[in-house]
Amino acid sequence: MAFQLKNGETKTFEAHFHWSNYVSPALWAGMMLLLAILLLQANARGYSAGVPLVCIALVVGLLPFGYRVLQNKTKKYILTNQRIFVEHGILAKTRIDIPYAKINDTVMKQGILQRLLGSGDVVVFTGNDKALILSGLDCPNEFMEKISDHISKKVA
């Protein structure tokens, strides 16, 4: 399932994910790496920490970080002149097309830390459907403004 433009459609914007999405899994990986180093040192001093515990600590530390990287690599948030295209999923894919005519409202959410770092979430409301949350965006204000511009062009 790759993104394909329809007749008369042009890609106007593609969202990128903010680096802050990787902070918590990177901190976890760092703590587990530190634990692995401490276990190796204890093993070198004659304590029975064991290499299997070191391997477990490394795997448990790196899996969440690797998963987040893979998760963000397989997510696409694309704006065209006709619709919002969303695709996500590592093994099983979910694909959503939202024509601008169906959008009722958009909301940008930013916590204090997100405001300081320049990241945030954009929530798109369509009819009676559940809200679509586009999370961890770099420059969410620009993304939301592009959606508003497209909606106003369709109304005019």
Side-chain angles (χ1 to χ4, degrees):
M1 278 199 280
F3 172 68
Q4 293 183 351
L5 293 172
K6 298 175 182 176
N7 286 340
E9 187 176 33
T10 56
K11 186 166 130 179
T12 59
F13 192 79
E14 184 168 354
H16 297 285
F17 299 99
H18 198 266
W19 59 266
S20 63
N21 288 329
Y22 304 104
V23 171
S24 61
L27 287 174
W28 176 255
M31 288 188 325
M32 291 294 113
L33 181 62
L34 182 63
L35 177 63
I37 291 169
L38 291 173
L39 288 171
L40 281 175
Q41 285 180 347
N43 198 32
R45 291 185 182 150
Y47 297 106
S48 61
V51 176
L53 284 178
V54 172
C55 293
I56 290 171
L58 288 174
V59 168
V60 167
L62 293 177
L63 272 179
F65 184 76
Y67 180 75
R68 180 65 56 91
V69 169
L70 195 57
Q71 192 179 41
N72 283 346
K73 290 286 182 193
T74 58
K75 263 189 220 176
K76 290 180 187 172
Y77 299 151
I78 299 173
L79 300 180
T80 71
N81 59 337
Q82 297 177 6
R83 63 189 166 134
I84 298 175
F85 173 82
V86 177
E87 183 178 81
H88 59 85
I90 296 171
L91 296 176
K93 293 280 188 185
T94 300
R95 182 177 175 181
I96 303 166
D97 282 326
I98 303 173
Y100 292 118
K102 290 190 175 187
I103 296 175
N104 291 342
D105 198 10
T106 56
V107 175
M108 182 179 65
K109 291 185 176 186
Q110 285 182 308
I112 294 171
L113 190 58
Q114 286 178 317
R115 285 186 66 197
L116 291 172
L117 298 175
S119 70
D121 304 335
V122 173
V123 183
V124 178
F125 294 97
T126 58
N128 293 330
D129 294 340
K130 188 172 79 169
L132 176 66
I133 302 171
L134 310 173
S135 60
L137 298 177
D138 192 21
C139 304
N141 197 30
E142 183 180 359
F143 191 80
M144 197 168 100
E145 285 175 10
K146 294 276 187 189
I147 293 172
S148 296
D149 288 346
H150 286 298
I151 291 171
S152 64
K153 286 178 187 174
K154 293 293 178 189
V155 171

